[in-house]
């Protein structure tokens, strides 16, 4: 079991996540149930490490893990894929509101930032991909789909930040 757990966060590591997620997705009891993969990436980990030190970087990573644990249900599978990348598998059973999930993650993140009292914000970008469970599902394909959605969100955030900086330079 220790070989499947991330030492820093206590979440599943990549191996633990993949093993458990593949079982759940292919379990006949979940056949055709709606599920989602949430791929999350901490924003600005390098900046935190460089400016405030690796202890603060570790604190931020543990905080992201706690935010994801609290934002999802106890039965959902939460893992750290490595570095600043995290993933969640949730069987919703029925259709789910992706924007509502994102809002919940943002609310929980805001609360953690208020309690942390750090001079930097702890933030993440997320991509959420919905699918139906089946033994034919390839976990790596749905992870790639969620990762693409995460990349699109990062691009939107970067574009917005550039526009804001340009506005204030005028």
């Amino acid at each position: 079991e220790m070989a499947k757990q991330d030492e820093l966060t206590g979440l599943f590591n990549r191996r633990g996540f993949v093993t458990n997620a593949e079982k759940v997705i292919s379990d006949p009891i979940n056949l055709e149930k709606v599920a989602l993969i949430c791929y999350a990436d901490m924003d600005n980990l390098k900046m935190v490490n460089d400016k405030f030190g690796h202890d603060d970087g570790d604190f931020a990573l543990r905080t992201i893990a706690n935010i994801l644990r609290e934002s999802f249900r106890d039965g959902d599978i939460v893992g750290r894929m490595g570095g600043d990348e995290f993933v969640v598998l949730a069987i919703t059973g029925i259709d789910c509101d992706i924007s509502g999930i994102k809002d919940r993650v943002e609310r929980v993140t805001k609360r953690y930032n208020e309690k942390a009292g750090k001079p930097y914000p702890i933030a993440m970008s997320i991509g959420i991909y919905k699918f139906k469970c089946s033994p034919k599902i390839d976990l790596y394909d749905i992870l790639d789909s969620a990762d693409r959605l995460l990349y699109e969100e990062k691009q939107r955030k970067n574009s917005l930040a550039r526009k804001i900086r340009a506005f204030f330079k005028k």
Side-chain angles (χ1 to χ4, degrees):
E1 286 304 307
M2 287 177 62
K4 295 180 181 177
Q5 187 177 31
D6 177 60
E7 188 176 325
L8 178 66
T9 63
L11 300 176
F12 285 115
N13 62 16
R14 177 184 294 269
R15 177 186 299 144
F17 176 82
V18 168
T19 300
N20 285 286
E22 286 178 337
K23 282 182 199 172
V24 169
I25 290 169
S26 64
D27 189 328
I29 200 164
N30 293 324
L31 184 64
E32 294 300 311
K33 286 185 180 175
V34 174
L36 63 86
I37 286 281
C38 172
Y39 213 99
D41 183 89
M42 183 182 159
D43 296 337
N44 302 313
L45 176 61
K46 181 174 177 5
M47 184 273 304
V48 172
N49 279 335
D50 290 350
K51 189 167 183 174
F52 301 99
H54 288 276
D55 286 344
D56 266 70
D58 287 350
F59 170 83
L61 290 169
R62 284 191 301 273
T63 301
I64 294 286
N66 290 333
I67 290 167
L68 291 173
R69 265 194 213 100
E70 189 173 322
S71 297
F72 288 88
R73 301 165 302 184
D74 289 341
D76 297 335
I77 302 168
V78 185
R80 180 177 174 210
M81 297 303 273
D84 61 355
E85 293 183 344
F86 297 82
V87 66
V88 180
L89 169 67
I91 307 296
T92 62
I94 55 171
D95 203 13
C96 58
D97 175 22
I98 289 176
S99 64
I101 294 168
K102 287 183 175 185
D103 289 345
R104 183 171 55 238
V105 172
E106 286 179 25
R107 281 192 312 272
V108 174
T109 301
K110 182 179 180 193
R111 191 166 25 84
Y112 269 82
N113 274 310
E114 289 168 355
K115 287 191 310 188
K118 294 291 184 180
Y120 53 85
I122 296 169
M124 70 183 105
S125 298
I126 59 176
I128 299 176
Y129 180 76
K130 284 194 293 189
F131 65 97
K132 287 191 177 180
C133 291
S134 163
K136 296 176 184 171
I137 292 288
D138 182 324
L139 178 61
Y140 292 99
D141 287 344
I142 58 175
L143 285 170
D144 285 346
S145 296
D147 191 33
R148 278 193 295 279
L149 294 169
L150 164 68
Y151 178 76
E152 289 172 13
E153 179 169 312
K154 279 204 173 278
Q155 292 297 99
R156 275 193 301 276
K157 281 183 173 181
N158 289 337
S159 175
L160 179 61
R162 282 192 300 275
K163 288 177 184 173
I164 290 170
R165 282 192 299 271
F167 175 80
F168 283 105
K169 284 184 179 180
K170 290 180 181 180

